[in-house]
Amino acid sequence: MDTQWPRWEVFKQDRPDKPYEAVGTVHAPDAEVALLNARDVFVRRPECHSLWVTPEAAVVRLTAEELAAQPAWLDESPGNAAADEIYHLFCRNNFRRSMVAVTYVGQVVAASPADAMRQAVQRQHADDTVLWWVVADSALTRSNDDDIASMFEPALEKTYRDQSTYRGRIFEGRRRGGTVKEVPGS
Amino acid sequence: MPPEPTHDERLAEFEARIARGEKIEPGDWMPDRYRQQLIRMISQHAHSEIVGMLPEGAWIGHAPSLRRKLILIAKVQDEAGHGQYLYHAAESLGAERQDLIDALLSGKAKYSNIFNYPTLTWADVGMIGWLVDGAAIKNQTMLTGASYGPYSRAMVRICAEETFHYKQGKEMVSLYAQGTPRQRKMAQDALDRWWWPSLMMFGPPDDDSPNSAVLMRWGIKLRSNDTLRQEFIDEIVPELHAAGLRIPDTDLRYDTDSGHWRTGPIDWDEFWRVIQGGGPMNRERLRARREAHDDGLWVREAMAAYASRLAVTSDQ
Ligand SMILES: [Fe+2]
Ligand SMILES: [Fe+2]
């Protein structure tokens, strides 16, 4: 038997005052190992305050192109009395270069993933919104504050991983216009 | 309901989106060939990160100081992470990581040619950081602008980490190049062996690069092999000279008219020979990858067994 295990979507919060961001996926046999693998893959450097993981299949996604083809997502629907589950909403608002797919924008109470997506689209709908993700709160596994010291703080001391540590004479020439200014033998 | 758009209409809209600078995201329409080319490129790139751990990893136990050892371990860990970022991007296109890894282990998939050369001395570790990571940064910086969202994002994440790889290598080799006679000799010997393979990392010359036109139109490749190679040469030659090293190319000269450094001819026969399996380390790299994969099997099995017990307990 060999397996690559299921994929888990990883959301990382850099600091308590920052939103969670979708940074990528890891493979793991269960949620606990997914958190550990997420630490190894996405927290080799500062900063990290908290990680969430969820089975990749638990994320419901929509793109602007898909929304244009199915405008029914934008139809107002009557309030749903059966809504009783919390969903977290994530969006992306531009095509700029960045290392995260979507960023946390808030939560809603919904009756189903589709209901949550409808609310997400209606709440975050501007011409520049290009991605919407929703995840049920019950599908998330979170690191907790007790994990910070063992999982995230060790990265703080590994300053040699930080490119700004490498200073001095040989790095003084800065790359400008495709050439490096360094005086031979200086 | 409006009629379904035809394939040609979709293709026109797809190309228009790329021309406008939009990113293609999983779930969006894309031509099959775009998907296939991306899976091929991204998985080759992922394999290069993973195989790239081997030449340097071999020196972890022989590092000359604790600081150098910590740096090297951190770099090799980063490369493992880069591999995972990239497999993730390929998976978002519908590829299975297991299939990609099987293709690597069976010898079907390619990875960067540079890793089929041996690391003979400790200075090679620094020279790889300076030249190989330096060359990789050029290509990867270009790819941060790729039209496929997940690939572009993986590249932004990788580039943020690569600068450390390049700088620690430059720092190490520059120190040796101004150190004891033995250190200087070791640094020069490393440059003599890694110079030409580093220039080959940018791939065959433009007139011998069959996929490039469509890759450029679809925003997967944004600049040509020769353009990137020339830019790298123009940056790295003054750096190496400043360190007091001699570049092993008697034809190398500065062309004042164009402002470019011109090298002698690159031995493309060697490039093709190594790609086709004739390099010094091709067999050893695959042997080591297979061994690592097989040796890890019991761990994967144990973790899967634990996870399934956990699932049974939580059902009760
Ligand atoms: Fe890398
Ligand atoms: Fe690197």
Side-chain angles (χ1 to χ4, degrees):
Chain A
M1 178 218 66
D2 203 350
T3 172
Q4 291 289 318
W5 301 325
R7 291 170 69 202
W8 300 73
E9 203 70 57
V10 179
F11 301 93
K12 175 170 174 264
Q13 185 188 37
D14 291 348
R15 294 202 310 259
D17 59 333
K18 294 269 191 156
Y20 283 82
E21 297 172 319
V23 290
T25 59
V26 293
H27 290 244
D30 57 56
E32 188 187 350
V33 177
L35 274 178
L36 291 172
N37 287 350
R39 196 285 300 257
D40 290 349
V41 174
F42 297 107
V43 198
R44 293 191 303 282
R45 288 171 174 73
E47 306 167 280
C48 183
H49 179 72
S50 165
L51 290 174
W52 291 352
V53 293
T54 189
E56 191 258 345
V59 180
V60 182
R61 300 151 208 263
L62 190 72
T63 71
E65 184 179 288
E66 290 172 316
L67 178 62
Q70 300 155 41
W73 284 112
L74 287 168
D75 293 346
E76 292 286 340
S77 67
N80 195 324
D84 61 353
E85 169 127 43
I86 296 171
Y87 287 84
H88 298 283
L89 315 183
F90 301 83
C91 283
R92 179 179 188 83
N93 290 327
N94 57 65
F95 288 115
R96 279 202 299 273
R97 283 176 210 194
S98 103
M99 58 175 91
V100 301
V102 288
T103 301
Y104 189 81
V105 291
Q107 62 179 52
V108 294
V109 177
S112 67
D115 182 28
M117 182 60 84
R118 195 168 12 252
Q119 293 188 48
V121 166
Q122 285 168 19
R123 178 169 153 172
Q124 293 283 325
H125 187 253
D127 282 347
D128 51 1
T129 308
V130 291
L131 293 177
W132 294 264
W133 290 15
V134 304
V135 189
D137 183 72
S138 59
L140 290 174
T141 302
R142 301 164 160 92
S143 67
N144 55 53
D145 288 351
D146 296 344
D147 296 326
I148 293 173
S150 64
M151 284 179 73
F152 309 140
E153 280 178 0
L156 292 172
E157 281 156 38
K158 298 178 180 170
T159 50
Y160 49 84
R161 282 187 186 274
D162 182 355
Q163 58 126 327
S164 66
T165 301
Y166 300 86
R167 293 202 207 105
R169 200 159 43 86
I170 61 163
F171 296 109
E172 272 156 21
R174 296 212 74 88
R175 281 160 190 254
R176 260 190 238 108
T179 58
V180 175
K181 282 196 180 165
E182 276 190 10
V183 184
S186 68
Chain B
M1 283 280 285
E4 276 280 296
T6 66
H7 181 275
D8 284 354
E9 284 165 356
R10 285 194 142 143
L11 183 62
E13 172 54 18
F14 169 82
E15 293 190 346
R17 287 192 62 199
I18 291 172
R20 286 197 297 269
E22 296 181 14
K23 297 275 184 243
I24 307 302
E25 293 289 344
D28 290 346
W29 187 87
M30 62 186 83
D32 287 343
R33 185 145 174 241
Y34 178 81
R35 184 185 301 274
Q36 286 153 10
Q37 286 286 352
L38 273 173
I39 291 175
R40 181 186 64 81
M41 276 179 67
I42 295 172
S43 60
Q44 273 185 19
H45 197 158
H47 299 331
S48 302
E49 301 284 353
I50 298 298
V51 176
M53 291 192 281
L54 294 169
E56 291 181 280
W59 281 93
I60 289 173
H62 309 279
S65 70
L66 180 60
R67 174 169 180 266
R68 291 285 171 209
K69 187 174 191 166
L70 288 170
I71 291 171
L72 181 54
I73 292 172
K75 178 176 190 290
V76 172
Q77 282 176 346
D78 279 352
E79 307 301 4
H82 297 177
Q84 175 56 28
Y85 306 159
L86 285 156
Y87 287 126
H88 158 77
E91 287 169 317
S92 73
L93 290 155
E96 289 284 336
R97 191 176 72 171
Q98 182 69 64
D99 296 339
L100 302 177
I101 289 175
D102 286 347
L104 171 67
L105 297 180
S106 71
K108 222 175 81 194
K110 296 263 180 277
Y111 53 85
S112 179
N113 227 12
I114 194 88
F115 302 120
N116 290 319
Y117 292 86
T119 38
L120 301 179
T121 74
W122 169 254
D124 288 12
V125 169
M127 197 55 81
I128 286 178
W130 196 355
L131 292 186
V132 175
D133 292 84
I137 290 170
K138 286 256 144 255
N139 191 42
Q140 292 173 159
T141 302
M142 166 187 84
L143 289 168
T144 60
S147 61
Y148 184 57
Y151 194 21
S152 158
R153 292 192 282 272
M155 284 302 130
V156 175
R157 191 168 287 281
I158 286 174
C159 284
E161 303 182 349
E162 284 294 351
T163 310
F164 146 57
H165 299 180
Y166 157 83
K167 283 192 164 182
Q168 62 82 34
K170 179 174 174 178
E171 181 204 60
M172 187 202 298
V173 177
S174 300
L175 278 171
Y176 295 158
Q178 281 145 41
T180 65
R182 261 183 77 194
Q183 287 174 327
R184 291 209 298 272
K185 195 162 167 271
M186 185 169 71
Q188 183 61 53
D189 164 68
L191 178 59
D192 290 347
R193 284 178 292 107
W194 290 96
W195 172 253
W196 291 107
S198 300
L199 299 189
M200 294 177 198
M201 278 179 71
F202 295 92
D206 293 349
D207 47 21
D208 197 12
S209 192
N211 287 323
S212 283
V214 68
L215 296 185
M216 284 202 177
R217 193 167 74 241
W218 286 346
I220 305 176
K221 190 171 176 133
L222 303 159
R223 308 174 68 200
S224 81
N225 294 355
D226 286 335
T227 309
L228 284 174
R229 183 168 19 243
Q230 185 62 54
E231 200 174 284
F232 174 69
I233 290 167
D234 289 340
E235 287 179 14
I236 203 86
V237 166
E239 288 188 30
L240 292 166
H241 284 164
L245 292 164
R246 184 181 41 75
I247 293 167
D249 177 356
T250 49
D251 295 330
L252 183 73
R253 64 187 173 82
Y254 184 72
D255 178 24
T256 35
D257 291 345
S258 65
H260 292 301
W261 285 90
R262 300 295 181 197
T263 67
I266 295 172
D267 182 359
W268 292 110
D269 290 344
E270 173 180 324
F271 174 78
W272 294 113
R273 192 167 62 244
V274 176
I275 271 201
Q276 278 142 26
M281 298 300 278
N282 299 57
R283 291 170 70 91
E284 168 55 23
R285 298 297 180 231
L286 281 190
R287 188 205 60 75
R289 277 319 314 158
R290 287 186 195 124
E291 185 180 85
H293 192 76
D294 293 347
D295 286 354
L297 180 60
W298 73 271
V299 180
R300 297 194 293 279
E301 285 179 346
M303 291 171 81
Y306 178 76
S308 60
R309 271 200 27 206
L310 215 62
V312 170
T313 329
S314 62
D315 281 354
Q316 283 164 0

